Every structure is written in structure tokens, then in C-alpha cells.
Amino acid sequence: MCGITGFVGKGTREELENMAATLRHRGPDDEGYFYIPDKIGLGFRRLSIIALDTGNQPIFNEDKTVAVIFNGEIYNYRELRSKLEGRHRFITQTDTEVLVHLYEDEGEKMFEKLNGMFAIAIWDDRKKKLILARDRFGKKPLYYTLVRDTLIFGSELKAVLSHSLITRELDFESLNLYFTHECIPSPRTIFKGIFKVEPATYLVFENGNTKISFYYRHSAAFDKPNPCKTIDDCIRLLDEKIRDAVRFRLISDVPLGLFLSGGLDSSTVCYYAQELSTKPLNSFSIGFSEKDFDESREARLVANTIGSVHHEKIFNPAEVKYILPELSKLVDEPISDTAIIPTYYVSKFARESVTVALSGSGGDELFMGYQTFQANKFVRFIEAVPKAVLKKIISPVVNLLPTSFGKISTDYKVKRFFLGLGYKPEYRDVIWIGAFTPEEKRVLYSNEVLSKLGGVNDFGAVDRVLRGVEHLPLIDKIIYVYQKLYMMENILSFFDRASMAVSLEVRSPLLDYNVVDFANSLPHEFKMRGLTGKYILRKLMEKRLPPEIINAKKKGFNMPTAYWLRHDLKDLMLDILSEERIKKDG
């Protein structure tokens, strides 16, 4: 796992080194550069995971006409290498060198053959072109901008912002999307003119022009027929695919551990990892003193069942005061999922013992694990109620429910549910899990912001995602939006920032594209039976994990934020949101 950065066009060697220096937390072990004045600069920071002695980058082909820098892991690199060795000379044992020679043979079709998480930059000196590519689900970040014929890129915004050609200007349309989604969806960023390379795409910069192409269509699996005759057949197939995905991700030349929250997804990944390992693995979890949020007992139960060496810590709200300033420097642009804080905390805790960790990310989005999927089943009953009754009687009563501070409390769920009913079916889930409604945002914004936004589409990101999948049933559209927006743009983004802040590589077996495609091809009743989400995953694991884990309701990896803001963090909140400070900051 590493940090990459560079430019094609204007830039000095000193600038290149400064850009790479901003990514030191992503790669504290080594650095490497390739620089030709007024032509090309590639910078690299390394976190050593595989081939510890020979893995520094850039890595070149035999005649030095192709250079690659790369952040991530290619899990099928050995299989690819075996097919390339007859035609190419290898001098390292790295997955990076496989990319160099695969590009020589396949050109831009190479990305279709990769199984992994990656952000890749390839310089083709013969054709004088740069190629930037990102993995299918955007696990690894990659930013770019084009300024006066110079293309500048980096693993994080801070690297791009370090180039002297960059000017910082707030993008108000991105800001508006942030207040809807609590993150900024690709390809936009908070800065005007700076973009994210989208998941499953590659960008070619040649002769001063950029061209973006998709190499994988995430939506295609939804159109595939059910791959098995019965749910038992599907369970056997799911078992094979998860097992293979975990096996790939256990490859490491440094210590590897497990994130074990106590939920079904992480417990499933930990079960397979420990079963496939020849020795007990280290598992890590954090707990909270507030029982409603604490899953440490469940994590210990799973660890005892699978035989991992378990480590746990209790998260103290006082520590948030020290963590927030550090995280704000690292995330570069707004993201408001509070789970980034415990993720950072458990990553820092795990990094004391391991350099790589497996996580259960993706299970809820693949197998309909969120309570909003249940809410979508209730909608048809509510829609039978006359609108006048709903508006004049039911909604006012719902809004009178007293506020509580439990984890996704009943009053919150009911209020949010009725709030979402006023929107198109494709937008309801965004309202249910988001921050502000379009109407609330108009009250929040100053007149200056309102004038800049004009007639902006509050659901533009959703409409963009749904373009081309209009034919899918509504429930598939909802699943697809969760995967494309909430999972890729929010969860995977903050997981990367929180873990790489402490130089920890996190791998997500459930997001192997073979598992994702399989899950997306399954009929809905295999994923949600009645109101039970993740049905097929529960059936897969019912004889492998304790019943308390199989039958537990989803809790999520969240903090008791509302309670803390009323108590331990109240002074911090009042200081940050004071009228004086807001006026001063603009």
C-alpha cells in the first residue's frame, strides 16, 4: 500500500518531492522518483507489504519505455505473471512489475484482467501518454486536474494541491451534494476543477487531451439470470467465492490481522481467514461504555469461537478531541460519517501489531442488510393511506415524538421514514440516510451560496448513477445506488483515509468483484426473506458462528455522537459552531 503522485507538463523536481512528502503517512518505508524536466514527474511513497527488498517504485519495463507507480494490491498477480514470464524478463517478485509487462501485452485492456484494489499511473514514453486507472469499486483513491496543459494527479487531494499551478476555489455544487450525501460523489471534489478518477475507469492523457473510459460495468450483474437452481446451490457457490476471496487476501510478507466488530459481516470474514490460516490470527475490536453502541461482547464471542488471538480497547470520548484535528488534516475534503473516528482508532490500535487487516466492508450493500431495505417494504402499506390523512394527521403526530439519544432510535427512524415519503422512490433512501433535505438546505445556506447554486439538482448524483439502469426493478436500483454512492463514495473513502493515516492496509474480501457480481445476480428473496436482511449470508454461517451473531440486529460501527455532543463534547461543539467563529471563517 502506497501513495502516488505526479504530473505531465510543468513542474520542478522539488515540487514533485513536496507532493510525495504530503503522502508520507501512506508510505513511510521508502520513496522513489522519475523526473524529466518539463515532461514527466512520477513520485512514490511506499508501505512495504510484498517483496520487501525489491518493491520500490517506479518500476520499468526492459527498455525503460514504460514506467509504473501503483497504490494497492493485485491479488491475482502470480497467475498473471505465470502467463507473462515466457515473453518478459522479471527482476522483482512484485505485483507492480506484472502491471508493467501486462500493459506491454494488453494495453488499456489490462485493467479488465486485474483482481485487486488499486490506483495506477502508467507513463508510456513511446506514445508520450499517461494512463490513470482506479479499481472497480474505488477502494483506492486517485485525484487529478488539468491546468494549462499540465495534468497533475495524486492519491490524495493534498498532493495535487501542493503543485504551484493549483488555485483553490470552492465548488458550490459539490458543497450542495455534500449536504445531501455527507460525502462528495465522484467525479467531483470540493474544489472546482479538481476531480476524482471514477471507480472502474481509466483516464488517458495524450497530446494535451483527456479521455475517460470504463473497463467494467458494475450494473451488468443485475441483468444476469439466477446462477443456481436453489438457495442451497447458491449458498455453496457463495461459500466458494468468499473462501477464494479471503485466500487471495491472506497473501502478505508482513503481519496480518482481522477487524472484528462482532457483526455478521466482519465475523464471516474472520471465520474464513482463521480457517484458512495455519496459525492463530490477531483480531482487533473497540468497544464503548454506552451499551447501545457496544459490540465488544459479541466480538469476544466470535474470537473464542474461531480461535483468533483477540485484542480490544474501550473508546473514550475525551480522545475525540485529539483525533478530530488529526483527521481533519487527512481527509482533505468534507466527509461526515462519524464511523471514520472509531475506524481510525481501531486502525491505530491494530497497527501496533500488524501492517495489514481484513475487514467485512460491503456485506450490507450486497445482501440488503440496512434497515432501510425493510422500510421500503413498508412503503406500499403507507401509500394506501390518503395523502391528506398522511399530511394533516399522521406526519404532525410523528414529529411530536420525543427525541432520544440511543443508536438509531425508534423516534429517529419513524421521523425519517415519513420525511422520505415526500420524495420519488429512487430518492427516498438518500433522504432516510442523509443529512439535510433540499428544503432544509435552502434554510441553511446564506444568500451568497443560494445565488451561486441557482437551479441546481439536489439529486444530480443519484440521477447520474441511475443513468443506463432505468430498466431495472426499483429494489435493484436502490441496491445499486447504495453500492455506488454510500459504499464507494462514503464508506470505502473514509476507511482508506482512517487506515492509511496510520499506514495500515485494509483489505475487503466481500468486495472481490466475483463476490459482488454473484450477489448482484441473486434474486431479492435470497438476500431478504420477509424482513430478515442478509438471509443467504445468515444461512451460510448459521452452523459456523454463534446464534447470537446470526440472529442479531444490525448495529453499525457508530459512536454515541448525540449523547457525547450533549455532554463530553459539548464545549468543543459550541466553540466550533459559535456565531463569532462562523462569521470569522465565512
Side-chain angles (χ1 to χ4, degrees):
M1 201 61 61
C2 311
I4 63 172
T5 190
F7 48 79
V8 177
K10 299 293 183 183
T12 66
R13 168 76 184 219
E14 183 182 11
E15 273 183 314
L16 182 63
E17 292 182 5
N18 289 340
M19 291 164 71
T22 68
L23 304 173
R24 192 179 188 282
H25 56 282
R26 299 187 74 92
D29 297 333
D30 209 342
E31 60 187 317
Y33 302 95
F34 173 57
Y35 175 70
I36 300 174
D38 296 322
K39 182 178 179 182
I40 177 71
L42 301 177
F44 172 76
R45 294 290 324 191
R46 186 184 187 205
L47 175 63
S48 302
I49 302 293
I50 292 174
L52 305 184
D53 297 329
T54 60
N56 200 26
Q57 302 176 28
I59 285 183
F60 300 85
N61 65 338
E62 293 91 337
D63 63 4
K64 306 283 187 181
T65 57
V66 177
V68 170
I69 52 176
F70 150 65
N71 167 31
E73 300 288 346
I74 307 301
Y75 301 119
N76 62 333
Y77 81 97
R78 290 173 176 168
E79 172 191 333
L80 293 169
R81 176 175 174 138
S82 68
K83 296 175 182 177
L84 294 165
E85 283 180 323
R87 298 184 299 279
H88 298 278
R89 177 171 57 88
F90 283 80
I91 60 175
T92 76
Q93 296 299 315
T94 65
D95 48 357
T96 313
E97 193 172 12
V98 169
L99 298 176
V100 175
H101 299 309
L102 190 62
Y103 171 73
E104 289 184 284
D105 282 15
E106 301 284 346
E108 284 122 41
K109 286 191 172 291
M110 66 178 283
F111 305 115
E112 300 170 19
K113 299 181 180 296
L114 302 180
N115 185 345
M117 54 178 179
F118 54 82
I120 301 171
I122 302 172
W123 172 248
D124 186 329
D125 197 58
R126 287 198 189 100
K127 297 180 179 179
K128 302 296 182 287
K129 72 177 180 181
L130 178 78
I131 302 163
L132 302 177
R134 199 166 168 214
D135 66 69
R136 287 170 175 81
F137 307 119
K139 298 170 195 169
K140 293 293 105 187
L142 191 56
Y143 296 83
Y144 74 96
T145 187
L146 183 60
V147 184
R148 299 200 292 274
D149 296 326
T150 294
L151 187 134
I152 305 159
F153 69 91
S155 290
E156 296 180 11
L157 267 171
K158 59 177 65 63
V160 176
L161 295 171
S162 296
H163 195 286
S164 61
L165 288 177
I166 300 298
T167 56
R168 304 184 188 202
E169 184 180 354
L170 191 67
D171 187 317
F172 284 94
E173 189 170 342
S174 295
L175 184 72
N176 187 59
L177 287 173
Y178 168 68
F179 281 117
T180 296
H181 298 282
E182 303 185 345
C183 63
I184 299 170
S186 298
R188 311 188 76 94
T189 72
I190 194 64
F191 295 107
K192 188 173 288 187
I194 304 178
F195 303 97
K196 302 178 183 88
V197 176
E198 291 188 76
T201 69
Y202 62 90
L203 178 153
V204 177
F205 180 62
E206 190 174 14
N207 299 322
N209 299 309
T210 59
K211 180 184 177 183
I212 297 171
S213 305
F214 281 87
Y215 64 86
Y216 168 80
R217 291 288 176 182
H218 178 195
S219 59
F222 289 95
D223 288 319
K224 291 180 180 178
N226 182 5
C228 31
K229 293 180 181 179
T230 67
I231 190 166
D232 288 336
D233 291 338
C234 281
I235 289 170
R236 282 191 288 272
L237 270 175
L238 182 60
D239 175 60
E240 292 173 12
K241 292 182 182 297
I242 294 178
R243 190 181 304 277
D244 287 344
V246 173
R247 182 184 292 111
F248 268 139
R249 285 157 183 80
L250 288 175
I251 298 170
S252 175
D253 292 336
V254 294
L256 179 146
L258 310 169
F259 281 170
L260 178 53
S261 70
L264 179 60
D265 302 337
S266 70
S267 299
T268 297
V269 168
C270 290
Y271 170 86
Y272 280 96
Q274 188 57 74
E275 184 184 65
L276 290 165
S277 177
T278 57
K279 59 183 180 181
L281 296 171
N282 289 293
S283 56
F284 303 89
S285 69
I286 62 169
F288 298 95
S289 55
E290 293 80 359
K291 290 184 179 179
D292 202 19
F293 292 78
D294 186 51
E295 291 183 282
S296 56
R297 188 189 71 83
E298 290 88 343
R300 287 195 298 274
L301 181 62
V302 173
N304 290 334
T305 301
I306 66 175
S308 63
V309 179
H310 194 56
H311 312 263
E312 66 176 52
K313 257 187 176 182
I314 298 297
F315 191 90
N316 187 326
E319 296 182 73
V320 176
K321 295 180 182 180
Y322 304 103
I323 290 174
L324 277 177
E326 290 302 310
L327 281 178
S328 66
K329 296 174 189 174
L330 292 164
V331 296
D332 290 337
E333 60 179 343
I335 189 165
S336 61
D337 195 320
T338 57
I340 189 174
I341 297 173
T343 302
Y344 172 82
Y345 190 74
V346 74
S347 297
K348 192 173 183 180
F349 178 36
R351 188 62 176 89
E352 296 171 6
S353 307
V354 300
T355 312
V356 178
L358 304 193
S359 96
S361 296
D364 289 306
E365 294 81 8
L366 297 182
F367 301 107
M368 300 175 67
Y370 293 121
Q371 292 179 345
T372 46
F373 289 112
Q374 298 171 347
N376 275 291
K377 289 200 167 189
F378 282 116
V379 165
R380 63 177 180 267
F381 299 111
I382 299 297
E383 285 178 333
V385 177
K387 289 187 177 179
V389 174
L390 198 63
K391 184 177 181 180
K392 294 183 178 180
I393 300 175
I394 297 179
S395 293
V397 171
V398 164
N399 288 328
L400 291 175
L401 289 173
T403 299
S404 63
F405 298 101
K407 189 170 190 175
I408 315 181
S409 58
T410 301
D411 65 281
Y412 175 83
K413 287 187 285 188
V414 173
K415 290 174 183 176
R416 208 73 197 175
F417 176 77
F418 280 94
L419 190 62
L421 294 181
Y423 297 86
K424 280 176 57 177
E426 291 85 353
Y427 300 159
R428 283 178 189 145
D429 288 73
V430 173
I431 297 297
W432 286 341
I433 68 170
F436 297 94
T437 66
E439 295 75 22
E440 288 168 337
K441 288 192 293 184
R442 298 306 179 269
V443 177
L444 177 70
Y445 295 153
S446 67
N447 290 332
E448 179 191 2
V449 174
L450 288 171
S451 66
K452 291 179 183 294
L453 287 174
V456 69
N457 179 4
D458 291 286
F459 298 101
V462 180
D463 291 343
R464 188 174 186 273
V465 165
L466 291 176
R467 207 172 296 147
V469 298
E470 294 88 352
H471 65 287
L472 291 178
L474 176 61
I475 191 63
D476 279 338
K477 289 181 185 177
I478 293 169
I479 294 170
Y480 185 58
V481 169
Y482 265 104
Q483 292 176 8
K484 291 285 284 184
L485 288 180
Y486 187 57
M487 181 182 80
M488 294 189 200
E489 306 295 349
N490 185 328
I491 294 175
L492 294 182
S493 178
F494 80 65
F495 243 96
D496 173 82
R497 297 309 186 281
S499 58
M500 293 310 296
V502 296
S503 307
L504 179 76
E505 175 179 306
V506 176
R507 302 173 178 177
S508 306
L510 297 181
L511 293 178
D512 185 296
Y513 76 91
N514 294 297
V515 178
V516 173
D517 285 351
F518 177 73
N520 287 340
S521 70
L522 293 175
H524 309 136
E525 60 269 23
F526 284 11
K527 291 181 266 193
M528 177 170 270
R529 184 68 57 93
L531 295 178
T532 302
K534 295 194 275 200
Y535 180 74
I536 189 171
L537 196 60
R538 294 178 197 274
K539 295 296 288 183
L540 171 67
M541 303 306 296
E542 67 181 352
K543 295 180 180 178
R544 296 166 166 174
L545 294 173
E548 297 95 320
I549 306 303
I550 300 298
N551 300 321
K553 292 181 180 180
K554 178 173 177 56
K555 286 189 176 182
F557 197 37
N558 297 312
M559 305 188 306
T561 312
Y563 179 83
W564 286 356
L565 289 175
R566 288 285 182 119
H567 299 89
D568 304 78
L569 301 180
K570 183 176 181 179
D571 291 342
L572 178 66
M573 178 187 69
L574 292 176
D575 176 52
I576 291 173
L577 296 181
S578 69
E579 184 176 1
E580 179 185 350
R581 184 162 181 170
I582 289 172
K583 285 180 178 178
K584 180 183 175 184
D585 292 342

